Amino acid sequence: MIKNLFLYNSLIGEKVKFEPIASNNVGIYVCGPTVYSEVHLGNCRTFISFDVIVRYLKFLGYNVRYVRNITDAGHLENDADFGEDKISKKAKIEQLEPMEIVQKYTLDFHNVMSLFNTLPPSIEPTATGHIIEQIEMIKSIIKNGYAYEVNGSVYFDVKKYINDGYQYGKLSGRDIDELISGSRDLQGQQEKKNPSDFALWKNASKQHIMKWPSPWGTGFPGWHLECSAMGAKYLGDQIDIHGGGMDLKFPHHECEIAQGVSANNVDPVKYWMHANMLTLNGKRMSKSTGNTLLPEEIFSGENEILKKAFSPLVVRFFMLQAHYRSVLDFSSVALSASEKGFNKLMEAKKVLSNVKFVQKNINTELDSQIVNLIEACYKHMNDDFNTPQTIATLFELVSIVNTCNNANSFGEISKETFIYLQKTMNGFILDVLGLDNLDSQSNDKSAQLVELMLSIRNEAKNNKNYALSDQIRNQLNEIGITIKDGKEGTTYSIT
RNA sequence: GGUCUCGUGGCCGAGUGGCUAGGCAGUGGUCUGCAAAACCAUCUACAUCGGUUCGAAUCCGAUCGAGACCUCCA
């Protein structure tokens, strides 16, 4: 298959043709969560966005190695270089070992990711598991002259890096002079040559819980370093795609570029991709401001924003109806609208899977219309993973499927196109968008039971005992089973 | 304050220099014992003011408004 994928490289701010460094193999690194509390829905959006990106790369036939880290050390509060370690802080609050915190919230994260039907990464490295690699990387940076040691801490020398002709601030569009002469005056900053320098290694005080030995004394690695070290270890000195939330552009990703360049003398990333924020009440979701919703609160309906519970896949679908680079605002009405659309899409997929194909006279106009729409699905995904347009195109196919189903006229499509249509609908809905059918939750016995109820209802209907038939319909409806009387008999769907 | 992004119909959200996505909601039909679903038809748009152009919602400028980053955050 000829691949014609274009993606938006946030480093240069343009859509460019995607060409992997090593032929058909793609390495992708996505910054994972800091596991010091439950992931909120905003975090999830980023991971769902990149899940679709990984899925589509695989769908196109690329060999994908997907690395997403777990930050379990080094991520500091308030200020990147002088705050308290987030994990340690939480450990004190909850009176647990730091690694108990890490374990607890890693499990929570995995559970939520699985509910959202995201694929697990190929490798999920942790910062604490790669202290040696991080120390080695710092050594390289020092050796190359871009870092210096002060009182057991090591800082990156931004000014030297810039003076040597490298661009620091390009990714985030920051002004270099402003960065060098940054005026913030924070406690402990006097250790740095320059306020914009950032920590690669921090000396640990006696009370500090999470610390490791190093050539510069006992301490812990800086947050920006882990992604550089682990990315290089598993995906090479230059990675095809590096992704993360928009908010990580500065300083995190900017620092990663500087670290990669100064350690390995190569631009560490070929394509930078950034997913946009999820907002709530018009403001970005954020743990520190408390403007958040937890996934569990949505699935259970126990929150003040939503009127009812929503399933994880409906939330996923809702997110995919917006482009990953756009801000998306979360609201109850928007989610309800998505839920209905989601059910409509799934229902049509089911119809298409179950239909018995009998060839009739071919309607060439209809046939080519379907082929065009199928090709449009690829076209839109190839255009920087435009899921909303792809979904819109799928809905046009849904309309055709329903029309053919009503008129019993699938046979007017050529057999070849019909199979192509089935494969495309299933492929895009299940494999690319990752929307599994909720009906799979029901088991054989409950299905038999519903069939039994329907046959009793049918008998009542034939006897014009509508009181009974309507009672059965209403009561089934109350437990979430919707009855539809069609020409070909009665069907039902579970919501 | 600096940098950047955005402002689309009742709501959510794509897109684009000319042929007006899609979903939800509304209205009128078809079907049905009635519903539901589906289908058909239909109604609401491109913040404001200028400019470029044969033509702009789409490009440029100004204004107003919103948001993000500049400190930890996906």
Side-chain angles (χ1 to χ4, degrees):
Chain A
M1 177 189 257
I2 302 158
K3 300 178 184 91
N4 198 29
L5 175 64
F6 281 72
L7 53 79
Y8 184 88
N9 183 353
S10 17
L11 184 65
I12 55 173
E14 278 175 25
K15 276 184 204 167
V16 291
K17 187 163 167 48
F18 176 62
E19 283 162 342
I21 297 162
S23 66
N24 203 45
N25 300 310
V26 177
I28 176 166
Y29 188 98
V30 174
C31 291
T34 303
V35 282
Y36 68 104
S37 65
E38 291 93 350
V39 279
H40 62 69
L41 201 66
N43 301 319
C44 295
R45 186 188 180 197
T46 298
F47 301 125
I48 289 170
S49 294
F50 283 101
D51 181 59
V52 171
I53 288 167
V54 168
R55 282 168 175 274
Y56 189 61
L57 289 167
K58 287 184 174 175
F59 188 72
L60 288 178
Y62 285 114
N63 249 330
V64 182
R65 183 180 288 171
Y66 173 27
V67 179
R68 187 183 64 204
N69 67 296
I70 295 281
T71 296
D72 56 355
H75 204 158
L76 308 182
E77 290 265 326
N78 303 320
D79 180 86
D81 302 332
F82 296 96
E84 189 175 2
D85 186 293
K86 290 195 171 195
I87 310 283
S88 299
K89 185 182 177 185
K90 189 77 176 189
K92 285 177 197 162
I93 292 169
E94 296 196 9
Q95 295 191 312
L96 295 168
E97 268 295 309
M99 276 300 140
E100 283 185 280
I101 297 293
V102 166
Q103 183 71 11
K104 178 178 170 184
Y105 293 114
T106 300
L107 286 174
D108 169 76
F109 175 62
H110 286 162
N111 180 38
V112 169
M113 285 297 104
S114 151
L115 286 169
F116 277 124
N117 199 30
T118 64
L119 300 173
S122 324
I123 303 173
E124 191 168 48
T126 62
T128 55
H130 296 75
I131 301 294
I132 290 168
E133 287 82 353
Q134 294 181 75
I135 289 173
E136 288 306 310
M137 190 157 191
I138 296 171
K139 282 187 193 166
S140 300
I141 298 174
I142 292 175
K143 197 178 115 200
N144 292 339
Y146 293 103
Y148 55 90
E149 192 230 314
V150 183
N151 302 330
S153 293
V154 181
Y155 295 98
F156 188 91
D157 193 337
V158 172
K159 196 170 180 180
K160 158 97 163 111
Y161 182 74
I162 291 167
N163 286 345
D164 285 1
Y166 294 113
Q167 289 179 299
Y168 183 79
K170 189 184 176 192
L171 178 67
S172 51
R174 230 128 289 255
D175 184 64
I176 287 169
D177 294 332
E178 188 190 303
L179 285 171
I180 290 183
S181 62
S183 58
R184 286 192 305 118
D185 186 28
L186 291 165
Q187 160 220 354
Q189 196 129 279
Q190 52 273 24
E191 276 188 356
K192 295 184 189 177
K193 286 187 191 170
N194 204 289
S196 59
D197 291 352
F198 55 90
L200 299 175
W201 186 265
K202 281 299 291 176
N203 175 264
S205 64
K206 276 200 178 135
Q207 306 93 300
H208 204 94
I209 311 173
M210 301 177 83
K211 53 192 171 188
W212 294 265
S214 82
W216 316 284
T218 303
F220 54 94
W223 172 43
H224 311 308
L225 193 66
E226 59 169 291
C227 292
S228 290
M230 298 188 289
K233 172 160 183 171
Y234 297 113
L235 298 169
D237 289 348
Q238 195 178 35
I239 301 169
D240 288 303
I241 299 173
H242 188 132
M246 206 78 108
D247 50 349
L248 297 184
K249 261 184 162 182
F250 188 90
H252 187 55
H253 290 160
E254 203 70 70
C255 295
E256 276 191 56
I257 295 176
Q259 288 163 353
V261 169
S262 57
N264 304 320
N265 201 28
V266 60
D267 229 314
V269 175
K270 191 169 178 189
Y271 304 99
W272 280 98
M273 295 185 75
H274 290 95
N276 216 324
M277 300 293 106
L278 185 69
T279 61
L280 183 62
N281 301 319
K283 293 269 167 61
R284 88 174 267 207
M285 281 199 194
S286 159
K287 282 179 204 170
S288 51
T289 58
N291 188 41
T292 55
L293 262 184
L294 297 181
E296 291 86 348
E297 295 173 326
I298 297 160
F299 308 153
S300 68
E302 287 165 15
N303 63 78
E304 289 174 3
I305 313 287
L306 303 177
K307 296 182 183 76
K308 62 184 276 290
F310 290 94
S311 85
L313 291 183
V314 166
V315 178
R316 180 179 170 107
F317 179 73
F318 160 76
M319 290 182 181
L320 297 183
Q321 277 189 303
H323 193 263
Y324 78 89
R325 279 194 288 120
S326 300
V327 173
L328 175 63
D329 193 58
F330 189 87
S331 71
S332 188
V333 280
L335 205 55
S336 294
S338 286
E339 184 176 51
K340 294 195 176 172
F342 174 80
N343 290 335
K344 184 176 175 173
L345 184 65
M346 287 317 201
E347 205 50 42
K349 187 184 77 73
K350 197 166 87 181
V351 165
L352 189 62
S353 301
N354 295 338
V355 72
K356 289 187 186 72
F357 184 81
V358 182
Q359 187 72 67
K360 296 180 183 171
N361 290 335
I362 293 171
N363 177 343
T364 50
E365 200 180 319
L366 176 66
D367 202 84
S368 63
Q369 191 192 352
I370 291 169
V371 172
N372 287 342
L373 287 171
I374 289 170
E375 282 168 2
C377 290
Y378 284 90
K379 192 185 100 191
H380 294 134
M381 282 307 287
N382 281 337
D383 180 20
D384 195 30
F385 309 96
N386 196 325
T387 53
Q389 277 222 311
T390 304
I391 289 170
T393 308
L394 288 174
F395 273 113
E396 291 188 57
L397 288 168
V398 164
S399 175
I400 291 175
V401 166
N402 285 331
T403 302
C404 287
N405 190 42
N406 281 356
N408 197 16
S409 61
F410 280 106
E412 292 177 17
I413 310 167
S414 71
K415 177 103 188 179
E416 190 189 6
T417 302
F418 179 78
I419 290 168
Y420 192 22
L421 176 64
Q422 277 186 325
K423 282 178 78 171
T424 303
M425 289 286 277
N426 278 320
F428 275 88
I429 293 172
L430 298 177
D431 301 336
V432 177
L433 300 176
L435 303 168
D436 251 323
N437 207 332
L438 298 172
D439 280 3
S440 57
Q441 290 165 357
S442 63
N443 61 38
D444 284 352
K445 282 206 173 119
S446 69
Q448 284 171 24
L449 248 148
V450 175
E451 291 296 342
L452 178 65
M453 292 309 295
L454 289 187
S455 72
I456 293 171
R457 175 169 171 270
N458 227 27
E459 206 181 311
K461 267 178 72 181
N462 289 339
N463 295 333
K464 297 206 189 310
N465 184 355
Y466 297 126
L468 178 60
S469 72
D470 286 358
Q471 187 195 342
I472 293 172
R473 181 172 67 197
N474 292 342
Q475 292 194 351
L476 282 175
N477 200 33
E478 274 170 30
I479 57 171
I481 297 170
T482 312
I483 301 299
K484 282 172 262 186
D485 292 329
K487 275 181 188 163
E488 308 291 320
T490 302
T491 58
Y492 69 95
S493 60
I494 302 169
T495 50

